[in-house]
Amino acid sequence: MTEPPFSDIAAVFSEDGALAQYLPGFRARSGQQAMAHAIAEAIRERRCLIAEAGTGTGKTFAYLVPALIGGGKVIISTGTKTLQDQLFERDLPLVRDALKLPLSVALLKGRSNYLCLHRIAQAQHEDLFPSRRDAQYLKTIASFSRTTERGDRSELANIPDHAGIWPLVTSTRDNCLGSHCAHVDDCFVTKARKEALDADVVVINHHLFFADALLREEGLSELLPACNTVILDEAHQLPDIATVFFGKRIGSMQLMELARDAEVAIRTDASDLTELLTRIDRLTLAIRQLRLAAGEFPGKLAASQLLSLPTFAEALQTLTKVLDETASDLGTVAERSEDLGVVAARTQTLLRDLQQWCEINDNADKNTSENASENRAEEIPLIRWADISPHGWQLHASPLSVAPIFRDFVENSARSWILTSATLSVAGQFAHYQHELGLENAQTERWDSPFDYEHQAILYVPTGLPLPNTREHTDAVIDAALPVLEASRGHAFLLFTTHRALQHAHQRLQTIFAERGWDWPLLVQGEASRSELLERFRVEKNAVLLGAASFWEGVDVAGDALSLVVIDKLPFAPPDDPLLSARLEHLKKSGGEPFRDWQLPQAAINLKQGAGRLIRTETDHGVLMITDPRLVEKPYGKRLWRSLPPMRRTRALEDVIAFFDTRNRES
């Protein structure tokens, strides 16, 4: 790479610097400059930096500028595909052009985001679809696949993300034919990887980052090129995502997809062996029977809870037996075609995963993760649990801690690591986050938001509310929110910690809106995709949106569309979560205090995420209403609200109404 035309970071961010000349309305921000300097130093010295930047700091440009100037080969990982697309399509080209740097940039997503030409042809040949609509979608997809350059399914915005056709026209690591595929020369995944290998900057997401780390652990080929600098944006998500990727999991969806692919392969290449199709039917039945055997227990459960049910233990044994027989039968015809060979290998892998889950001892202290690094000094206990949904199931064996694994990635690589987010610290301290990822020796820095929260926002905690564990709490939340909704004229997010509370609130608000003649759009999570709901919220006037977990973060609604955020409860994780229970018990045995050392800091970080939806620009104004009396009535409440932006605090409804009256007159 040629020497850049400048080396002074401060000059880039100055009032007459490169960014100001290229971006109308750009203003120098001291926090952004300081963050860019810290990142430049970490890159130069190949250190690990944990950087928290409050909303409005401009952290994206603060890490892009030093990374493009001196980061060498750079990988930038984001929390979501939406942020990934924004970086690739808008922010990166903008900064690159402003700095006049001749850098190539590539976008790389997980393989399920790219169309698979082989599976499209297979789907057209078999004509087996989840619905008639999916059959119509296939025609659109097949036509698109002949003209697209990237084969990225996000370019087909008219086909919903949840459409049943997608698994039929995309591949996974398990069902890809690799170099044996007839379409290998035109493969969209292969093209995207080649571009990533050749590019100076590669934009990925966290799931792909950990998938690559996992593959490297298993000694398989690397998805991502070696690099000099890794930047992990939205880094607060890393502990949870790492926990999923560095454990073992097997679920009904994986097995149902296997059964469907096996049926297609058998009909195509072994149609003379009808008994194989009978075997697949038995497998499909066994997968469904396991869900029925779990009974009415949706949610996360410890393995011991489920296995204590005789029906579940028996159904699990039956499924294992049928899967074993299916693997044996498919093995006899594996050589007939590439598709049958791949299906047979997948069956063996899933059988092994299921058998391993069944054999794991519930005494987690005696087990270690297969995916853990051979070089780390300590063993990692596994926790066995299950996630039961209304229509499916997943069996998990998760590491008690990902800290030793992640620490190895960082410390055993000669590169710089930048982990950044708006929510990493608790009351200015990073100890909890550092402990989760094993980065106690990393440098930490934080920069407050430049927004004037004292004048732009109010934190309102109503008086007289019942405790959140009482039956009447959700009704009390709605009652307390009604006068505030009236004052704000809608323009509100109502965020709930449980789906049950969300549904109850929805039913009550529907009735109240009708009785009061409020014609404000009432949008509810689950009625459409998140992106669809957010777009409607931005466009439609006075909308009120009810959401749960997925709306607490990564949602950016600036301006007058949003001026009220209501949070029903402090976001403490449910204590009956089996993985959390195991972690808290381990912490207690180690001499720690579970509530102080884990539950409270985690709740503070989650609360900051929810609160962060309110003020997104220097001209936004709004009210953050938290309807949980523990925030002000419990001693630990102070630690929570001190982690929030420095808003003016009140418990008086009159202050809130006066705030909105002033805002409404000004607008």
Side-chain angles (χ1 to χ4, degrees):
M1 187 173 68
T2 58
E3 190 69 22
F6 46 75
S7 57
D8 187 352
I9 295 292
V12 180
F13 290 97
S14 65
E15 293 288 0
D16 57 353
L19 291 176
Q21 293 176 27
Y22 202 80
L23 284 172
F26 176 84
R27 289 195 300 160
R29 284 172 275 188
S30 59
Q32 187 178 52
Q33 289 188 26
M35 183 178 179
H37 272 293
I39 290 173
E41 285 297 311
I43 290 175
R44 188 176 299 116
E45 298 175 13
R46 293 187 179 254
R47 286 188 281 104
C48 177
L49 171 65
I50 299 174
E52 180 180 88
T55 306
T57 303
K59 66 179 170 66
T60 303
F61 283 10
Y63 66 67
L64 282 179
V65 169
L68 297 193
I69 290 176
K73 182 98 174 180
V74 180
I75 287 180
I76 303 173
S77 181
T78 69
T80 64
K81 287 182 286 188
T82 301
L83 292 172
Q84 195 180 358
D85 289 334
Q86 178 181 310
L87 258 176
F88 177 72
E89 294 170 4
R90 189 188 72 185
D91 298 337
L92 252 172
L94 194 153
V95 174
R96 178 190 59 187
D97 294 346
L99 301 182
K100 297 181 171 59
L101 294 173
L103 300 175
S104 57
V105 179
L107 177 71
L108 184 59
K109 299 180 180 180
R111 67 164 64 243
S112 64
N113 292 280
Y114 300 97
L115 299 181
C116 174
L117 297 173
H118 170 70
R119 289 178 66 80
I120 290 173
Q122 199 176 46
Q124 289 176 307
H125 179 262
E126 280 303 313
D127 200 28
L128 293 173
F129 307 106
S131 69
R132 289 184 180 179
R133 179 169 292 181
D134 287 308
Q136 293 298 317
Y137 288 152
L138 178 61
K139 294 178 182 178
T140 302
I141 290 169
S143 175
F144 172 75
S145 71
R146 293 189 288 270
T147 58
T148 177
E149 289 290 324
R150 292 165 53 193
D152 188 334
R153 57 184 268 186
S154 67
E155 297 175 45
L156 287 167
N158 56 330
I159 300 180
D161 279 346
H162 59 269
I165 190 63
W166 288 122
L168 302 181
V169 296
T170 58
S171 70
T172 66
R173 180 163 60 93
D174 294 327
N175 63 31
C176 174
L177 299 182
S179 60
H180 300 290
C181 181
H183 302 275
V184 65
D185 292 336
D186 300 312
C187 175
F188 295 119
V189 173
T190 302
K191 288 179 181 178
R193 288 179 179 173
K194 185 178 184 306
E195 286 182 13
L197 285 168
D198 295 337
D200 298 302
V201 184
V202 185
V203 182
I204 63 172
N205 60 50
H206 296 335
H207 287 83
L208 184 56
F209 172 81
F210 282 110
D212 182 53
L214 180 61
L215 287 175
R216 197 178 297 129
E217 281 281 329
E218 295 176 346
L220 302 177
S221 59
E222 296 182 14
L223 285 175
L224 304 173
C227 66
N228 305 100
T229 302
V230 174
I231 297 174
L232 301 168
D233 200 350
E234 300 300 310
H236 61 278
Q237 299 178 2
L238 296 179
D240 287 341
I241 296 174
T243 297
V244 171
F245 272 92
F246 293 116
K248 283 286 187 182
R249 65 192 185 281
I250 180 171
S252 55
M253 183 177 293
Q254 286 170 281
L255 288 169
M256 292 298 282
E257 288 183 0
L258 169 70
R260 185 188 60 230
D261 290 348
E263 180 181 353
V264 170
I266 292 166
R267 291 185 184 279
T268 303
D269 301 307
S271 57
D272 54 312
L273 300 177
T274 55
E275 64 272 19
L276 285 180
L277 292 175
T278 303
R279 180 75 71 196
I280 298 304
D281 289 340
R282 287 187 60 199
L283 176 60
T284 301
L285 179 62
I287 297 165
R288 291 173 175 155
Q289 288 289 354
L290 189 65
R291 173 60 191 92
L292 293 174
E296 297 301 315
F297 292 106
K300 297 177 181 179
L301 300 168
S304 56
Q305 290 177 268
L306 274 177
L307 293 174
S308 66
L309 300 171
T311 53
F312 188 87
E314 183 180 341
L316 183 59
Q317 187 176 15
T318 299
L319 173 60
T320 305
K321 182 174 181 292
V322 173
L323 191 59
D324 190 5
E325 293 167 347
T326 305
S328 178
D329 288 350
L330 287 171
T332 64
V333 296
E335 294 183 358
R336 288 199 182 191
S337 71
E338 295 293 344
D339 285 315
L340 280 171
V342 168
V343 165
R346 285 169 63 193
T347 309
Q348 287 288 353
T349 299
L350 290 174
L351 172 63
R352 184 171 64 250
D353 290 346
L354 185 60
Q355 289 172 334
Q356 287 177 349
W357 191 89
C358 294
E359 293 166 2
I360 291 173
N361 192 311
D362 283 327
N363 181 358
D365 293 332
K366 295 181 180 178
N367 293 281
T368 59
S369 169
E370 285 194 2
N371 299 327
S373 169
E374 295 178 0
N375 297 322
R376 77 174 190 279
E378 54 193 297
E379 294 183 339
I380 303 175
L382 287 175
I383 306 302
R384 189 170 56 148
W385 58 283
D387 192 353
I388 308 297
S389 67
H391 305 293
W393 50 266
Q394 272 200 334
L395 307 179
H396 294 260
S398 302
L400 186 66
S401 170
V402 297
I405 312 173
F406 199 85
R407 183 190 303 123
D408 280 353
F409 284 138
V410 173
E411 294 182 354
N412 295 336
S413 65
R415 61 171 64 103
S416 52
W417 294 77
I418 311 299
L419 288 73
T420 184
S421 170
T423 54
L424 297 176
S425 71
V426 179
Q429 302 299 312
F430 290 86
H432 176 70
Y433 184 77
Q434 289 176 280
H435 177 73
E436 280 195 285
L437 292 180
L439 300 180
E440 286 85 357
N441 295 326
Q443 177 189 354
T444 61
E445 298 282 356
R446 61 184 298 270
W447 297 272
D448 290 330
S449 168
F451 298 156
D452 185 1
Y453 279 100
E454 189 170 341
H455 293 95
Q456 288 182 253
I458 289 179
L459 171 59
Y460 171 48
V461 182
T463 57
L465 289 170
L467 288 171
N469 59 350
T470 57
R471 287 186 177 181
E472 60 268 25
H473 181 261
T474 301
D475 284 322
V477 169
I478 298 304
D479 292 340
L482 288 175
V484 186
L485 277 172
E486 188 168 24
S488 69
R489 301 175 184 175
H491 305 284
F493 275 5
L494 274 62
L495 302 179
F496 296 87
T497 53
T498 67
H499 285 276
R500 179 180 296 179
L502 185 152
Q503 294 304 326
H504 182 73
H506 179 213
Q507 292 170 4
R508 273 210 67 197
L509 285 173
Q510 278 184 309
T511 302
I512 292 168
F513 274 36
E515 290 173 349
R516 299 194 177 191
W518 291 352
D519 58 355
W520 310 329
L522 188 59
L523 311 176
V524 184
Q525 179 176 336
E527 290 184 342
S529 70
R530 190 173 84 149
S531 56
E532 235 180 294
L533 288 173
L534 288 172
E535 185 57 31
R536 286 172 58 190
F537 185 87
R538 292 185 183 100
V539 172
E540 298 186 29
K541 293 182 178 179
N542 307 89
V544 176
L545 188 150
L546 279 61
S550 64
F551 283 87
W552 281 63
E553 62 175 282
V555 173
D556 191 351
V557 179
D560 295 335
L562 179 62
S563 58
L564 170 64
V565 172
V566 180
I567 293 177
D568 74 329
K569 298 177 185 178
L570 298 177
F572 288 108
D576 57 351
D577 181 299
L579 186 54
L580 175 63
S581 297
R583 285 174 169 166
L584 297 182
E585 184 63 27
H586 179 77
L587 186 61
K588 187 176 181 180
K589 288 179 179 178
S590 303
E593 209 289 302
F595 182 77
R596 179 198 65 203
D597 299 337
W598 189 281
Q599 291 169 284
L600 190 58
Q602 199 63 53
I605 289 173
N606 293 338
L607 187 63
K608 284 170 69 175
Q609 278 292 331
R613 301 314 101 216
L614 183 63
I615 304 298
R616 307 301 298 177
T617 72
E618 293 175 346
T619 57
D620 285 355
H621 290 78
V623 170
L624 172 63
M625 179 177 176
I626 300 179
T627 52
D628 189 331
R630 294 175 296 177
L631 186 66
V632 292
E633 295 173 5
K634 294 291 185 181
Y636 59 77
K638 182 180 291 186
R639 190 175 174 193
L640 291 172
W641 61 252
R642 279 183 172 174
S643 293
L644 296 173
M647 307 175 186
R648 180 158 56 98
R649 300 189 306 278
T650 185
R651 303 203 71 184
L653 177 62
E654 313 84 79
D655 292 342
V656 175
I657 292 175
F659 176 87
F660 280 121
D661 284 345
T662 301
R663 294 301 306 154
N664 292 334
R665 284 196 300 271
E666 290 176 355
S667 60

mmCIF file of all heavy atoms in Angstrom, residues 601-618:
data_model
loop_
_atom_site.group_PDB
_atom_site.id
_atom_site.type_symbol
_atom_site.label_atom_id
_atom_site.label_comp_id
_atom_site.label_asym_id
_atom_site.label_seq_id
_atom_site.Cartn_x
_atom_site.Cartn_y
_atom_site.Cartn_z
ATOM 1 N N PRO A 601 -24.326 -6.037 36.977
ATOM 2 C CA PRO A 601 -23.651 -5.400 35.843
ATOM 3 C C PRO A 601 -24.263 -5.778 34.494
ATOM 4 O O PRO A 601 -24.333 -4.946 33.587
ATOM 5 C CB PRO A 601 -22.203 -5.888 35.953
ATOM 6 C CG PRO A 601 -22.212 -7.023 36.902
ATOM 7 C CD PRO A 601 -23.380 -6.810 37.805
ATOM 8 N N GLN A 602 -24.744 -7.025 34.364
ATOM 9 C CA GLN A 602 -25.374 -7.422 33.104
ATOM 10 C C GLN A 602 -26.666 -6.640 32.873
ATOM 11 O O GLN A 602 -26.955 -6.195 31.762
ATOM 12 C CB GLN A 602 -25.661 -8.922 33.114
ATOM 13 C CG GLN A 602 -25.893 -9.521 31.733
ATOM 14 C CD GLN A 602 -24.696 -9.415 30.832
ATOM 15 O OE1 GLN A 602 -23.593 -9.820 31.181
ATOM 16 N NE2 GLN A 602 -24.884 -8.844 29.653
ATOM 17 N N ALA A 603 -27.447 -6.469 33.939
ATOM 18 C CA ALA A 603 -28.684 -5.688 33.823
ATOM 19 C C ALA A 603 -28.382 -4.240 33.463
ATOM 20 O O ALA A 603 -29.113 -3.606 32.685
ATOM 21 C CB ALA A 603 -29.469 -5.756 35.136
ATOM 22 N N ALA A 604 -27.294 -3.681 34.024
ATOM 23 C CA ALA A 604 -26.921 -2.291 33.730
ATOM 24 C C ALA A 604 -26.594 -2.124 32.250
ATOM 25 O O ALA A 604 -27.010 -1.142 31.607
ATOM 26 C CB ALA A 604 -25.729 -1.881 34.584
ATOM 27 N N ILE A 605 -25.860 -3.071 31.696
ATOM 28 C CA ILE A 605 -25.498 -2.997 30.276
ATOM 29 C C ILE A 605 -26.745 -3.120 29.401
ATOM 30 O O ILE A 605 -26.933 -2.372 28.433
ATOM 31 C CB ILE A 605 -24.470 -4.092 29.936
ATOM 32 C CG1 ILE A 605 -23.117 -3.750 30.571
ATOM 33 C CG2 ILE A 605 -24.315 -4.245 28.422
ATOM 34 C CD1 ILE A 605 -22.079 -4.840 30.441
ATOM 35 N N ASN A 606 -27.644 -4.052 29.744
ATOM 36 C CA ASN A 606 -28.875 -4.220 28.971
ATOM 37 C C ASN A 606 -29.771 -2.985 29.065
ATOM 38 O O ASN A 606 -30.409 -2.588 28.089
ATOM 39 C CB ASN A 606 -29.635 -5.460 29.449
ATOM 40 C CG ASN A 606 -28.896 -6.752 29.145
ATOM 41 O OD1 ASN A 606 -28.054 -6.796 28.256
ATOM 42 N ND2 ASN A 606 -29.203 -7.803 29.887
ATOM 43 N N LEU A 607 -29.830 -2.390 30.268
ATOM 44 C CA LEU A 607 -30.651 -1.192 30.453
ATOM 45 C C LEU A 607 -30.102 -0.039 29.618
ATOM 46 O O LEU A 607 -30.866 0.736 29.025
ATOM 47 C CB LEU A 607 -30.682 -0.810 31.933
ATOM 48 C CG LEU A 607 -31.638 0.328 32.318
ATOM 49 C CD1 LEU A 607 -33.077 -0.061 32.025
ATOM 50 C CD2 LEU A 607 -31.478 0.680 33.802
ATOM 51 N N LYS A 608 -28.792 0.092 29.563
ATOM 52 C CA LYS A 608 -28.176 1.132 28.728
ATOM 53 C C LYS A 608 -28.547 0.942 27.261
ATOM 54 O O LYS A 608 -28.773 1.913 26.533
ATOM 55 C CB LYS A 608 -26.654 1.100 28.880
ATOM 56 C CG LYS A 608 -26.143 1.703 30.181
ATOM 57 C CD LYS A 608 -24.672 1.432 30.390
ATOM 58 C CE LYS A 608 -23.782 2.176 29.414
ATOM 59 N NZ LYS A 608 -22.348 1.990 29.700
ATOM 60 N N GLN A 609 -28.625 -0.318 26.832
ATOM 61 C CA GLN A 609 -29.008 -0.576 25.452
ATOM 62 C C GLN A 609 -30.429 -0.087 25.174
ATOM 63 O O GLN A 609 -30.689 0.583 24.182
ATOM 64 C CB GLN A 609 -28.902 -2.075 25.142
ATOM 65 C CG GLN A 609 -27.506 -2.550 24.806
ATOM 66 C CD GLN A 609 -27.023 -1.995 23.475
ATOM 67 O OE1 GLN A 609 -27.810 -1.720 22.571
ATOM 68 N NE2 GLN A 609 -25.723 -1.813 23.359
ATOM 69 N N GLY A 610 -31.357 -0.441 26.052
ATOM 70 C CA GLY A 610 -32.739 -0.005 25.855
ATOM 71 C C GLY A 610 -32.873 1.504 25.901
ATOM 72 O O GLY A 610 -33.550 2.118 25.064
ATOM 73 N N ALA A 611 -32.202 2.127 26.874
ATOM 74 C CA ALA A 611 -32.267 3.586 27.014
ATOM 75 C C ALA A 611 -31.651 4.286 25.813
ATOM 76 O O ALA A 611 -32.059 5.401 25.443
ATOM 77 C CB ALA A 611 -31.554 4.018 28.291
ATOM 78 N N GLY A 612 -30.687 3.638 25.189
ATOM 79 C CA GLY A 612 -29.993 4.240 24.056
ATOM 80 C C GLY A 612 -30.844 4.432 22.824
ATOM 81 O O GLY A 612 -30.426 5.086 21.860
ATOM 82 N N ARG A 613 -32.063 3.874 22.826
ATOM 83 C CA ARG A 613 -32.949 4.068 21.659
ATOM 84 C C ARG A 613 -33.479 5.503 21.596
ATOM 85 O O ARG A 613 -33.921 5.943 20.544
ATOM 86 C CB ARG A 613 -34.164 3.121 21.728
ATOM 87 C CG ARG A 613 -33.878 1.635 21.780
ATOM 88 C CD ARG A 613 -32.855 1.173 20.778
ATOM 89 N NE ARG A 613 -31.567 1.003 21.411
ATOM 90 C CZ ARG A 613 -30.407 1.276 20.829
ATOM 91 N NH1 ARG A 613 -30.361 1.765 19.620
ATOM 92 N NH2 ARG A 613 -29.275 1.086 21.467
ATOM 93 N N LEU A 614 -33.448 6.246 22.712
ATOM 94 C CA LEU A 614 -34.194 7.497 22.799
ATOM 95 C C LEU A 614 -33.530 8.668 22.088
ATOM 96 O O LEU A 614 -34.132 9.294 21.208
ATOM 97 C CB LEU A 614 -34.423 7.851 24.277
ATOM 98 C CG LEU A 614 -35.252 9.111 24.536
ATOM 99 C CD1 LEU A 614 -36.660 8.954 23.999
ATOM 100 C CD2 LEU A 614 -35.288 9.416 26.045
ATOM 101 N N ILE A 615 -32.316 9.011 22.462
ATOM 102 C CA ILE A 615 -31.645 10.203 21.921
ATOM 103 C C ILE A 615 -30.581 9.755 20.926
ATOM 104 O O ILE A 615 -29.587 9.133 21.304
ATOM 105 C CB ILE A 615 -31.002 11.036 23.045
ATOM 106 C CG1 ILE A 615 -32.047 11.426 24.089
ATOM 107 C CG2 ILE A 615 -30.320 12.275 22.472
ATOM 108 C CD1 ILE A 615 -33.164 12.297 23.552
ATOM 109 N N ARG A 616 -30.791 10.076 19.651
ATOM 110 C CA ARG A 616 -29.879 9.615 18.607
ATOM 111 C C ARG A 616 -29.124 10.749 17.922
ATOM 112 O O ARG A 616 -28.138 10.503 17.241
ATOM 113 C CB ARG A 616 -30.658 8.819 17.531
ATOM 114 C CG ARG A 616 -31.504 7.689 18.065
ATOM 115 C CD ARG A 616 -30.686 6.659 18.818
ATOM 116 N NE ARG A 616 -29.691 6.007 17.982
ATOM 117 C CZ ARG A 616 -28.822 5.116 18.420
ATOM 118 N NH1 ARG A 616 -28.806 4.790 19.701
ATOM 119 N NH2 ARG A 616 -27.950 4.565 17.601
ATOM 120 N N THR A 617 -29.599 11.993 18.082
ATOM 121 C CA THR A 617 -28.914 13.136 17.481
ATOM 122 C C THR A 617 -28.916 14.304 18.467
ATOM 123 O O THR A 617 -29.588 14.266 19.507
ATOM 124 C CB THR A 617 -29.600 13.602 16.176
ATOM 125 O OG1 THR A 617 -30.843 14.250 16.503
ATOM 126 C CG2 THR A 617 -29.866 12.434 15.231
ATOM 127 N N GLU A 618 -28.196 15.356 18.125
ATOM 128 C CA GLU A 618 -28.084 16.532 19.000
ATOM 129 C C GLU A 618 -29.382 17.317 19.096
ATOM 130 O O GLU A 618 -29.537 18.162 19.982
ATOM 131 C CB GLU A 618 -26.965 17.442 18.490
ATOM 132 C CG GLU A 618 -25.580 16.816 18.624
ATOM 133 C CD GLU A 618 -24.501 17.685 17.999
ATOM 134 O OE1 GLU A 618 -24.859 18.604 17.244
ATOM 135 O OE2 GLU A 618 -23.317 17.440 18.279
#
